[in-house]
Amino acid sequence: MFNKRTKIKELLQSAKTDIPCTVMGWVRTFRNNQFIALNDGSTNNNIQVVVALGAFPDETLKRITTGACIKASGTLIASVGKGQTVELKADEIEILGDSDAEKFPLQPKKHSLEFLREIAHLRFRTNTFGAVFRVRHALAFAIHEFFNRKGFVYLHTPIITASDAEGAGEMFKVTTLPLDGTAPKNEDGSINFKEDFFGRSTNLTVSGQLEGELAAMAFSDIYTFGPTFRAENSNTARHLAEFWMIEPEMAFYDLEDNMNLAEEFIRHIIKYALTHNREDLEFLAQRLEEEEKQKPQQDRSEMGLIEKLEFVVNNDFERVTYTEAIEILRESNHNKKKKFQYLIEGWGIDLQSEHERYLVEKHFKKPVILSNYPKEIKAFYMRQNDDGKTVAAMDILAPGIGEIVGGSQREERLDKLMERMNEMHIPAEELDWYLDTRRFGACKHAGFGLGFERLVLFVTGMTNIRDVIPFPRFPKSASF
RNA sequence: UCCUCCUUAGCUCAGUUGGUUAGAGCAUCUGACUGUUAAUCAGAGGGUCGCCCGUUCAAGUCGGGCAGGGGGAGCCA
């Protein structure tokens, strides 16, 4: 058996000293030909491996370079120096994998996030990305834990979908037909997808919601958590072509039930990270604080990262209707002094980023749930309100991120739904299977979608979505 | 896709009104030192100035195009 070692996280918490132990990990720095800062990813903290002078041949010492993988065995002792409580006095050191220091791109110094993005395959070995991806893991785990505890069924919706009528954005085509112009054609010159692998045209999913609704009509409460693909040419710090989405769908829920669940859900997973990933979050908070020092005073956030997360956990989200929000914005000094690029004049327009930011960051200074939007700016499946103008939709806006959740009560009345689909030119025959939920035992139901990476952004305090997914896909980029 | 800024050593950046051989800090290598904390000290190596075209006696520097990146916007999660 090879893996007879103790993880560094466990060793650093050890109450006992003067015990024999073995560690394996990657060298962060080798100081003074004596002190190895070793990391194995179990925690952001390194263990200091002490190499007694003259105890090892120069040949071995030369191979202890930044990035090298080593195994060290010895005794865990109370640290002689300051800066750590315990350290490993090494009796044996084995180089498991060499790392040419001249070629290894990570140096014992601060690197820019832009540079690290170019070497995303190695950035896990930095403090920042170590913390980010451990937090990402914890959030994913907390999500499953939350829904499992509430009796939700985790539903795997398809990644390859036949439907192209979900209306959630541009889709990536999936085909095995040749791309050199020799694909079989119909008489009118279009591609004959009957000859394709699935016997029809297929795409990568843009949302599992419609399939989720089907399952909610049997299990009552379900959620999906999987990858989603959008072929939009979006070049922003908040969009990815491949991202992960959580989509719960609940029978017998109205819009308010939906908002209550979404709020409880966000609170719970943040609380989970605060208790289980305290060290990582503290590291990220410090990183953010240092970054903010570079900014002019008025651009700095009022709260530190931990403070902000605790605030979200301990305070109710503000709930306002679209109509109330428009009123607040129209009456704001910001609007009167014409500081918005798009001034608020009337009811019915979609809110711009600047408006959402004003509501969340300036007016309420906390997460906001906006509800009951004009039907013209929302999707066909959202339940039409009795006023004839609005639908039972809700978005949760988070400070610094913008829209983090989008959800609605669904239109369960077949006639109303088909009427709306007709108005929006959505072909009913393609969604016949979806309409069956309304034909056979329909009921009030609701759900929402939460962009996982946006949640990770919010919790880690990172600002670019490409830095919170291990291998980001975006226009003109699919490396690794 | 639009607006805007940027691209000089492995990394982060200086580089004057266009003018000899393009600089610094960190990193790397060599040596010294040895309880260090991104160790310290001394020395060395390291450049097709993003790419193409143009203006000019002369371009890192001026102009145009392209590519890549940052910030903002749209689409959205």
Side-chain angles (χ1 to χ4, degrees), chain A residues 194-211:
Chain A
K194 288 204 175 82
E195 299 285 317
D196 203 351
F197 186 89
F198 294 110
R200 58 186 300 173
S201 159
T202 51
N203 300 295
L204 292 179
T205 183
V206 293
S207 163
Q209 181 201 313
L210 301 189
E211 289 91 346

Side-chain angles (χ1 to χ4, degrees), chain A residues 325-345 349 351-359 362-363:
Chain A
I326 287 287
E327 210 45 43
I328 291 167
L329 289 166
R330 183 162 51 195
E331 294 304 314
S332 67
N333 284 331
H334 216 74
N335 196 52
K336 286 176 177 166
K337 288 182 183 164
K338 300 195 192 307
K339 282 193 188 161
F340 287 128
Q341 201 185 336
Y342 294 90
L343 294 176
I344 299 282
E345 278 151 14
I349 57 143
L351 298 179
Q352 305 285 319
S353 297
E354 57 175 346
H355 304 135
E356 296 181 348
R357 272 214 308 277
Y358 179 85
L359 285 172
K362 294 256 158 44
H363 190 83

Side-chain angles (χ1 to χ4, degrees), chain A residues 299-311:
Chain A
D299 293 347
R300 294 183 202 168
S301 43
E302 291 171 26
M303 281 188 239
L305 180 64
I306 302 265
E307 227 183 328
K308 178 188 82 174
L309 296 175
E310 280 172 350
F311 181 86

